[in-house]
Amino acid sequence: EVPLVESGGGLVQPGGSLRLSCVGSGFAFSSYVMSWVRQAPGKGLEWVASIYPTNVGYQNYADSVKGRFTISREDAKKTLYLQMTSLKAEDSAVYYCSRGGPNGSRGQGTQVTVSS
């Protein structure tokens, strides 16, 4: 099991913003692709975004969040971020960070609820 701890979720109104964080430990964080995935109630796991190691400098996003979400990393702090803006009700889900791609080891998740 790979310790990954997510935080930053909460309740936000439609159109609002949140920043999620994920701290990793016990592995060479800077060497890994890191991803965010989410799971809404009654639905399967959905990939949100991935970021490659800093020396590669590449990120990619699901079409559903492109232009609204930004994934970033701070390797010195072993921390992954997800800046979410223009949030919609359909963004409500438990958000997980994962080591590697969407099927990698995940943390316990943080709940994001978008509602007025």
Side-chain angles (χ1 to χ4, degrees):
E1 188 171 329
V2 177
L4 293 164
V5 180
E6 302 95 337
S7 62
L11 173 64
V12 62
Q13 292 186 341
S17 300
L18 278 176
R19 188 176 81 156
L20 306 183
S21 300
C22 169
V23 179
S25 62
F27 66 100
F29 182 89
S30 62
S31 299
Y32 281 83
V33 173
M34 296 295 296
S35 301
W36 287 99
V37 297
R38 65 186 182 185
Q39 188 165 26
K43 296 188 177 180
L45 207 60
E46 177 190 14
W47 170 73
V48 174
S50 295
I51 185 167
Y52 284 64
T54 301
N55 61 343
V56 177
Y58 177 72
Q59 307 93 41
N60 56 340
Y61 298 90
D63 287 344
S64 59
V65 306
K66 199 172 293 183
R68 299 188 298 121
F69 291 11
T70 302
I71 189 171
S72 62
R73 64 194 300 159
E74 192 170 355
D75 291 337
K77 295 185 177 181
K78 296 190 173 184
T79 302
L80 178 72
Y81 300 102
L82 185 68
Q83 179 69 48
M84 306 185 294
T85 63
S86 302
L87 282 161
K88 307 174 182 179
E90 51 263 44
D91 294 318
S92 296
V94 178
Y95 283 71
Y96 303 89
C97 65
S98 71
R99 187 179 74 170
N103 296 317
S105 300
R106 298 190 296 272
Q108 85 290 347
T110 186
Q111 176 72 49
V112 172
T113 303
V114 184
S115 174
S116 55

